[in-house]
Amino acid sequence: MTKKVCISFLGNFQHDSRVTNLSNSLRNDGYEVSIISFDWRTLSRNYLSPKEKIYRLKRGGSNFSFYFNFAFKLTRELFKCSADVYFAEDIYTLPFVTLVAKLKKAKIIYNSRELYAFIGGLTHKPLLQKIIKLIESLLIKRVDLILTTGEMDSAFINNFYKVKNTLVIRNLPLYQKSFEKINLRQMYNIPNDKVILLYQGVLIGGRGIKLIMSIIKEVPEAVLILFGDGEEKVNFKNLAFNLGIDDRVIFGGTIPQKQLINYTSGGDIGIALIENISISYYHALPNKLFEYIMAGLPVLSSNLPQMKNIVENYKVGKAVNIDSKGEIIIALKEMIQNKELLSVYKANCEKASLELNWQKEFDKVKPILYKFF
C-alpha cells in the first residue's frame, strides 16, 4: 500500500525550494504527497488542487486575526488529510500538526529550518521569544524526527532540548544546468560596464541589505537587484532613494521557484551578507548561498562559520567580516576589477555544484529518513 505524506507550511510552497524539492523527491520514491500552505504576499485568491493547496491570508488587520485564520484553516485541512506521516515545516505549523497527527496515531517530522526561538526578529521581543521557546520545548520531544539545515543547528538542538533525533538536510538546490538564462541587463536596461550584484530572499532586517546598499553608494560600478518580497521592502526602497542610489537598486519582486535560477544566472555576484544578530543567524547556511553556486555566481558572503566553510573550501568567492564595511568594499572591488579571479570563482562554482545539490543530499539522507516512515 502506498504511504501518504502531508506537508504543512506557513508560506507559499511554490516559492520555497525546501518544500518543493522534498515533496518531489518523496513522490519520485512512490509516496503520495499532499501539501497545505499559505500566502499573504503574492496570491490574489486561493490555489486549490487535489494534492496542493495554498490558502490566501490577509495581512493588515491584527496579528490575532491573521493567526486565528491560519490556525483554523490549517487544522481543518489537517483533519481532512489522511496520512501516515505529517511534516511540520516550521514552528508555526508544529502545534497543529502535532495535535492532529497524535490523534491519528501518525508519525510527525518537524522541519526546524531555523532556530526559531533565536531568530533575529525576536532579539527585542523577549516575551514572544519565551513563548516560542516554551512551545518548542513542549512539542519537540513529541515528534519522531527533527530535520535541520546544518550541523551547528543539530548540535544546538540536541544540547538545548536534550534530544538525539535530529537529521541534517541542507537547503541545497536541484542540480540543473539546462536553465534559460535571463538577460537582466536587457530586462532592466543596465549598461554593460556595470556589475550586477544579486540578492534573492526575504526582504527583512539582518540579511545585510542595508549594508550592501550603503556599500554600493561607494562602488559606482555596481548595480543591485533584489528578488523577493518582505515587510521591509518599502523601507529599503526609501533607503535607496535617500542614499541617492535608487537608479542602481532594482526591486525585481518574487520569482516562482522553478524559474528562479534563470534569473539568478543573469547576475554577476551573489550577495549573502547575513548579520550576526542572533544564534540562528550565526549558524546561517542559507539556500541562497547554494543557489548562487548552482547558477554560476561567485559569492560575497559573511564569514559566519558555516557560510565561510562552504565559500572557502570550494573557493567560490569571498567570505568577509560583516562588521567591517571597509573590508567588504575592498573585497567587492577586487571581485569587480579582477576579471580573472571572477572567472576562477565561476569555474569553481561549476565544480562545486556537482556535489552541492539536492539530489546528492537527499540520496545521502533518505535511508535514515525513511526509517521513520
Side-chain angles (χ1 to χ4, degrees), residues 250-264:
I250 298 164
F251 291 83
T254 301
I255 308 297
Q257 190 62 42
K258 290 181 180 179
Q259 301 174 24
L260 184 57
I261 194 168
N262 297 327
Y263 289 80
T264 307

Side-chain angles (χ1 to χ4, degrees), residues 100-267:
V100 174
K102 287 295 183 184
L103 288 173
K104 294 190 174 190
K105 295 181 170 53
K107 298 283 189 178
I108 306 167
I109 296 178
Y110 173 37
N111 203 337
S112 179
R113 51 176 70 203
E114 293 194 67
L115 298 176
Y116 285 103
F118 304 92
I119 59 176
L122 297 180
T123 304
H124 303 296
K125 298 177 180 178
L127 177 59
L128 184 55
Q129 188 176 47
K130 286 181 180 178
I131 292 171
I132 291 178
K133 277 184 189 177
L134 177 62
I135 292 171
E136 195 165 46
S137 64
L138 289 173
L139 298 178
I140 202 164
K141 293 181 181 179
R142 290 171 166 79
V143 307
D144 297 282
L145 180 65
I146 305 157
L147 304 182
T148 69
T149 61
E151 296 291 348
M152 290 181 70
D153 278 11
S154 275
F156 183 89
I157 288 173
N158 290 341
N159 180 62
F160 191 81
Y161 292 115
K162 308 304 178 188
V163 296
K164 296 180 180 179
N165 55 332
T166 60
L167 175 65
V168 176
I169 305 181
R170 292 176 297 176
N171 272 336
L172 303 185
L174 288 171
Y175 180 79
Q176 50 183 318
K177 293 300 176 181
S178 59
F179 47 82
E180 299 176 5
K181 181 177 178 179
I182 300 294
N183 189 331
L184 298 179
R185 284 185 167 77
Q186 183 178 350
M187 175 178 287
Y188 295 114
N189 196 28
I190 299 171
N192 290 329
D193 62 344
K194 300 293 184 184
V195 171
I196 298 175
L197 310 183
L198 192 141
Y199 169 92
Q200 60 191 49
V202 184
L203 304 184
I204 57 175
R207 304 298 176 95
I209 298 175
K210 286 184 178 180
L211 177 61
I212 194 62
M213 283 188 181
S214 69
I215 284 169
I216 67 169
K217 180 177 175 62
E218 302 181 36
V219 185
E221 56 265 57
V223 170
L224 175 65
I225 300 179
L226 301 106
F227 286 125
D229 208 339
E231 58 193 36
E232 291 293 317
K233 184 174 182 177
V234 173
N235 292 334
F236 290 145
K237 282 188 172 183
N238 291 337
L239 176 62
F241 178 81
N242 292 334
L243 289 173
I245 57 170
D246 50 309
D247 60 328
R248 291 193 288 124
V249 178
I250 298 164
F251 291 83
T254 301
I255 308 297
Q257 190 62 42
K258 290 181 180 179
Q259 301 174 24
L260 184 57
I261 194 168
N262 297 327
Y263 289 80
T264 307
S265 60

Side-chain angles (χ1 to χ4, degrees), residues 294-336:
M294 184 60 66
L297 262 67
V299 177
L300 180 66
S301 88
S302 311
N303 65 351
L304 300 176
Q306 295 196 121
M307 298 175 71
K308 180 180 179 181
N309 181 54
I310 294 294
V311 172
E312 294 190 348
N313 281 355
Y314 290 94
K315 297 180 174 57
V316 292
K318 290 184 177 291
V320 293
N321 181 359
I322 196 70
D323 295 320
S324 175
K325 184 177 175 181
E327 179 182 327
I328 300 171
I329 291 174
I330 291 171
L332 179 58
K333 284 188 173 182
E334 183 182 5
M335 293 178 75
I336 290 173

